[in-house]
Amino acid sequence: MKNNNFTINYPSIFCGTEKSHISFLSGKPDLVSVFNPGQNPENKRRFFVTDATVASLDCMKDFISKFDDDSCGKDVLMILGSGEPYKTIDSVLRIIKKAIDEGFSRNDVFVGIGGGVICDLTSFAASIFKRGASVQFVPTTLLAMIDASIGGKTGCDFENYKNMIGSFFPATDLFYFPEFVQYLPEKQYFSGLGEAFKTALLCDEELVCLFKNESEKIKNRDVEIVDLIIKKCVAAKAQIVEQDFTEKNIRAFLNFGHSFGHALETIVGLGSITHGEAVAWGIGRAIHLSYKKDFCSEAFRNSVFEILQNFGWETKAVPSIVKGGGIGERFLTAMHKDKKNIDDKIRLVLQKNIKDTFIAEVDDTDILNVLK
């Protein structure tokens, strides 16, 4: 079953593990073979956390049934609600309470099976449970495979602001079944593609060309191309994380498109738009601001917009989902609360060209100029 693997090394600091092992597994997702519920060769119990959407997938039936007929031994499964509305501190505390009630110790293992929300919630709960239990992931969305599961960022939303509570706590092991991508609803698949395109612009000119020249194969989820996108994005993010685990310098580049995108998610309500859609729109605004400030050429701006539009991502100054007045001020309010800012100055990741990225403090007027 295993056809590839990858290792991410972390600095020897407080992060809970020195490395993450990523196993790429081919074929239909088979979690029974990976985890053998009830069989604990290392004498460690597993606390599995997933959501209702993933639990209902046909490929998960055999695994879920292990917990229905009590053949799971001392392992435990918890199924949460699905989506961004459940990415709350209450969900984190529910996980912790269940672990306490079931008698788990800090030597046991939390396993998140799902998309970015489940990965973030499970790892955050593990990081603070009895001062830290190890965590593993089975990412089931493209977004989780290429971004959320990698590099140890954990957390939850707070008062309609994205990822305001969290920690750095990477998984010891990640099990990738690329075929999970074939089960995704269209919006969730394109959400992952939004993050993949971001990574392409930051790190990989060949991947940008793939988005430009092989768009139909990408849209149709060609198996070989999906595998290539996942592995390229994993390799790119791993290289960045190894150099800058706690985001003191180049890891901040991975926030490209996110300052605008997170503000959009806040304004329209978390979960009203997918994260990847919001980031794709945010990339367009960041590139347009780069052009307005003479950091990039018109040709580069137009080439990025052409790809965004080809994949159906909005490039208008204000997306159609945003309603009501005072739009500029609403965006400014949200963007000033972004956790990446320093001294209330909005800091944006901007580009001069593919792989030519930098961070700049921008004035409120610069933001307003690209929102009209």
Side-chain angles (χ1 to χ4, degrees):
M1 180 189 297
K2 186 181 296 186
N3 60 15
N4 215 319
N5 57 67
F6 200 91
T7 300
I8 305 174
N9 297 298
Y10 303 108
S12 297
I13 54 173
F14 51 86
C15 59
T17 184
E18 292 185 352
K19 59 184 64 178
S20 291
H21 300 282
I22 302 178
S23 301
F24 290 89
L25 306 168
S26 61
K28 180 181 177 180
D30 182 2
L31 273 66
V32 173
S33 294
V34 171
F35 292 108
N36 295 310
Q39 305 298 315
N40 308 93
E42 297 181 0
N43 201 31
K44 290 186 177 183
R45 299 175 63 197
R46 279 82 55 89
F47 182 17
F48 298 99
V49 182
T50 190
D51 66 30
T53 298
V54 174
S56 68
L57 294 176
D58 181 69
C59 62
M60 291 290 292
K61 285 182 178 178
D62 290 344
F63 179 76
I64 299 297
S65 67
K66 291 285 185 180
F67 299 87
D68 292 335
D69 62 14
D70 295 326
S71 59
C72 56
K74 294 183 178 181
D75 293 333
V76 172
L77 172 68
M78 183 176 191
I79 301 175
L80 298 175
S82 304
E84 197 75 27
Y86 291 92
K87 193 178 181 182
T88 65
I89 192 65
D90 288 339
S91 293
V92 174
L93 295 178
R94 282 187 61 199
I95 294 170
I96 291 172
K97 184 179 187 306
K98 179 73 170 176
I100 292 172
D101 290 346
E102 295 287 347
F104 278 81
S105 78
R106 63 185 299 176
N107 295 317
D108 294 322
V109 183
F110 287 57
V111 184
I113 306 168
V117 171
I118 288 295
C119 290
D120 283 4
L121 291 175
T122 306
S123 51
F124 186 33
S127 75
I128 60 177
F129 175 73
K130 298 184 178 180
R131 298 197 174 97
S134 63
V135 64
Q136 300 176 354
F137 293 143
V138 182
T140 61
T141 66
L142 180 59
L143 182 62
M145 291 178 195
I146 66 173
D147 187 56
S149 66
I150 307 169
K153 282 188 176 180
T154 84
C156 60
D157 305 330
F158 185 70
E159 293 188 351
N160 209 38
Y161 293 102
K162 289 278 291 186
N163 301 326
M164 281 293 169
I165 306 173
S167 60
F168 287 95
F169 199 80
T172 59
D173 294 275
L174 299 91
F175 303 94
Y176 280 35
F177 287 95
E179 188 164 320
F180 266 122
V181 172
Q182 306 301 327
Y183 291 84
L184 292 175
E186 196 80 345
K187 285 180 73 68
Q188 291 300 323
Y189 176 58
F190 274 76
S191 177
L193 290 179
E195 282 282 357
F197 183 53
K198 174 210 75 176
T199 303
L201 288 170
L202 293 176
C203 306
D204 194 327
E205 192 168 356
E206 181 183 339
L207 191 51
V208 174
C209 290
L210 200 69
F211 272 90
K212 181 178 180 179
N213 300 323
E214 301 290 351
S215 60
E216 291 309 308
K217 285 187 176 181
I218 293 174
K219 292 175 187 177
N220 292 324
R221 310 190 201 194
D222 177 88
V223 171
E224 289 186 4
I225 285 193
V226 168
D227 282 1
L228 181 61
I229 288 172
I230 292 170
K231 288 172 183 175
K232 275 182 166 289
C233 289
V234 168
K237 184 165 184 180
Q239 185 177 31
I240 291 172
V241 167
E242 286 183 335
Q243 295 177 64
D244 181 24
F245 177 65
T246 54
E247 200 174 291
K248 301 301 183 185
N249 44 74
I250 64 168
R251 185 170 181 174
F253 289 173
L254 295 173
N255 294 308
F256 185 41
H258 283 62
S259 295
F260 282 106
H262 282 172
L264 175 59
E265 290 181 86
T266 293
I267 287 169
V268 301
L270 298 180
S272 299
I273 185 173
T274 68
H275 177 66
E277 285 179 290
V279 167
W281 173 80
I283 289 171
R285 290 304 89 201
I287 291 291
H288 190 55
L289 193 150
S290 296
Y291 167 66
K292 287 281 206 178
K293 300 283 286 183
D294 292 324
F295 295 136
C296 75
S297 68
E298 184 176 13
F300 176 59
R301 174 203 175 278
N302 291 345
S303 67
V304 172
F305 271 52
E306 182 181 348
I307 294 173
L308 291 171
Q309 291 163 355
N310 186 25
F311 280 85
W313 293 313
E314 288 218 41
T315 56
K316 293 186 295 186
V318 178
S320 55
I321 193 174
V322 179
K323 308 297 182 185
I327 289 172
E329 291 303 318
R330 288 156 63 194
F331 268 97
L332 285 176
T333 298
M335 292 177 77
H336 272 287
K337 292 183 183 296
D338 193 290
K339 61 185 178 297
K340 299 178 289 295
N341 296 334
I342 299 175
D343 295 330
D344 200 40
K345 295 284 189 180
I346 294 176
R347 302 172 78 238
L348 294 181
V349 182
L350 303 175
Q351 279 203 311
K352 298 177 181 179
N353 210 327
I354 298 169
K355 297 173 65 175
D356 192 352
T357 310
F358 65 102
I359 295 174
E361 290 184 352
V362 298
D363 295 330
D364 288 1
T365 54
D366 294 324
I367 304 293
L368 294 174
N369 283 338
V370 296
L371 292 174
K372 59 184 180 183

